[in-house]
Amino acid sequence: MISEISGESKNQVSRNLLQEEKCLGWNVRKDLLSHELTPHVWNEGLLNFYSKTNSFLYETSVWNRRPLKQKMREWICNYLATSSPQPLKILSFGDGLGFDSLHWAKAKHQVTYFEVSEECFSYAKQVFSNNDEHQINMITSEGEIDSGSFDAVICLDVLEHVPDPTNILHKFTKWLKKDGILITHSPFFLVHPYYSTHLQSNKKLSGDCNIYTNLGLQPIKSRLFWDPIILKNTLDQSTKQKIPFTTRLGGNLLAKGRGRLGNIHSMLARYMSRGESHWAKDLSNMLDCDP
C-alpha cells in the first residue's frame, strides 16, 4: 500500500521501513532536512511539508505496531467501553493512517476521521475499505466540523507538532458537547533529533495541566505519563476540580522534562517506545531474498 500511494518501489519501501524500525523518525528527519527546514522550529513551510511528504507513512506505520502505541489504544478502548454503555460520536483528530479510527469503529462507535496529510488520508481510506468499515466519515477540513457535535475527541501525538496547541484545544472545547471528553497524548518534552517536527517552543508545556483547565477541560483520568490523559469538557473555566493523584504525579514527572532532564526523559521515552526485534529481522530477510 505504501508503494502504491508513494510511487516508490517495494524494495525502496522495505529499505525505508527497515531504517524506521531501527530508528523511529528517520524518514521524517531525512525528508525535513532535504526540504531545508529547521528541526524543532515552526515554519510556514511545514504546512506544505505535512500535507505532501510521504515520510509520515513510514513513521506512523512503524509507530502503530509498537507495543506502547497498542497498549495506549487498548487502554482507551477499555475506558470507552466501561465509561459509556452507548456508542459514542468520536472525532479522531490527526489520525494519520487511520488505525485508531478503525479500532473505535470496530468497537461500534460512530467515528469521524480527520487528517491533513494527503497520502495518509489515501492510506487510511484503503485501510477502512480493506476492513469493511465504510461508515467512517473522512474529512480534511475543520470547516466540516460542527460545534457541540461530539461526545469525544481523540487526539494522539499531534499537539506537540503545532505552533499554538492552546488554539487547537480551544477548538476541541467548541466541537465537544458539554461533559464530552478529550483524550490526548502530547509528549511535549520529546524534543529529540529524530522527532524533528516536535517543536522546541512547546517543551514548556510538558506536564502543564493549566493549558487544559484554563479552557474548562478537567483532568479525570490518565496513565502515569499521560499516555494518554482524559479530560472532561466542563465549559466552565472558573472552577478547577481536584486532579487525580496519578495525573498530578505524572504531570510533576513530565514537568522535569522541560529543563536539563529533558534528554533523560527523551532517552527513556525512546526506550519505552521500542519495537519488537522480529520486525527489523523480517524486513532484512525480505531484502536479502529480493533479487
Side-chain angles (χ1 to χ4, degrees):
M1 286 171 60
I2 293 176
S3 177
E4 291 174 358
I5 291 170
S6 68
E8 296 176 322
S9 69
K10 291 183 179 180
N11 184 277
Q12 185 59 52
V13 168
S14 295
R15 292 185 184 280
N16 289 346
L17 282 172
L18 179 57
Q19 289 287 353
E20 198 70 32
E21 285 289 351
K22 293 178 176 179
C23 183
L24 190 64
W26 186 89
N27 285 279
V28 171
R29 179 174 177 80
K30 174 176 172 289
D31 206 12
L32 188 84
L33 294 176
S34 72
H35 282 72
E36 298 183 344
L37 295 168
T38 304
H40 313 304
V41 177
W42 177 255
N43 183 300
E44 291 299 321
L46 283 170
L47 294 173
N48 185 63
F49 180 78
Y50 284 132
S51 176
K52 301 297 184 181
T53 183
N54 61 34
S55 54
F56 284 105
L57 290 173
Y58 297 103
E59 183 179 74
T60 51
S61 290
V62 171
W63 170 232
N64 271 280
R65 65 187 181 205
R66 291 286 164 97
L68 177 60
K69 177 57 189 287
Q70 293 179 9
K71 288 177 183 176
M72 288 171 53
R73 188 184 292 128
E74 181 180 2
W75 188 88
I76 292 170
C77 208
N78 289 338
Y79 174 82
L80 295 176
T82 56
S83 64
S84 175
Q86 301 297 324
L88 300 176
K89 189 173 181 182
I90 296 174
L91 172 63
S92 195
F93 188 88
D95 187 18
L97 304 186
F99 293 118
D100 291 338
S101 293
L102 177 65
H103 209 73
W104 320 141
K106 289 292 186 185
K108 307 304 181 184
H109 298 293
Q110 183 181 346
V111 181
T112 294
Y113 160 98
F114 174 89
E115 177 57 52
V116 297
S117 167
E118 296 176 4
E119 295 197 340
C120 286
F121 188 94
S122 297
Y123 190 105
K125 187 175 183 179
Q126 190 64 47
V127 166
F128 301 153
S129 178
N130 289 351
N131 288 274
D132 295 321
E133 286 293 344
H134 303 290
Q135 301 304 313
I136 297 175
N137 181 31
M138 302 184 71
I139 62 174
T140 58
S141 170
E142 294 179 7
E144 300 177 70
I145 306 174
D146 295 328
S147 297
S149 57
F150 289 98
D151 301 301
V153 172
I154 302 178
C155 176
L156 306 178
D157 306 300
V158 173
L159 296 179
E160 64 274 18
H161 298 267
V162 301
D164 188 0
T166 301
N167 181 49
I168 301 295
L169 289 170
H170 181 68
K171 292 178 181 179
F172 292 163
T173 66
K174 298 298 183 184
W175 298 335
L176 281 167
K177 299 176 182 177
K178 185 180 186 302
D179 293 332
I181 58 171
L182 167 64
I183 304 177
T184 185
H185 175 235
S186 309
F188 294 120
F189 68 89
L190 194 50
V191 182
H192 182 278
Y194 281 97
Y195 293 111
S196 306
T197 53
H198 292 197
L199 300 181
Q200 178 70 35
S201 60
N202 289 333
K203 197 171 184 178
K204 62 182 182 292
L205 301 177
S206 185
D208 183 7
C209 274
N210 290 327
I211 61 169
Y212 305 114
T213 56
N214 288 342
L215 295 171
L217 291 165
Q218 177 64 36
I220 57 175
K221 191 178 180 66
S222 70
R223 280 165 51 100
L224 178 58
F225 295 112
W226 295 12
D227 53 354
I229 183 173
I230 303 176
L231 310 108
K232 181 184 290 187
N233 188 35
T234 67
L235 298 181
D236 188 350
Q237 301 173 20
S238 62
T239 61
K240 298 183 180 180
Q241 303 171 20
K242 185 177 180 180
I243 297 172
F245 172 76
T246 300
T247 302
R248 284 191 288 110
L249 175 60
N252 289 334
L253 293 172
L254 289 169
K256 302 293 185 182
R258 304 173 195 169
R260 296 178 181 177
L261 295 180
N263 290 336
I264 296 176
H265 277 53
S266 293
M267 180 179 67
L268 290 173
R270 298 275 295 181
Y271 177 77
M272 291 173 63
S273 62
R274 67 194 184 281
E276 297 174 328
S277 60
H278 73 86
W279 288 109
K281 291 179 180 177
D282 290 347
L283 285 163
S284 295
N285 290 336
M286 288 172 59
L287 287 166
D288 289 341
C289 294
D290 195 318

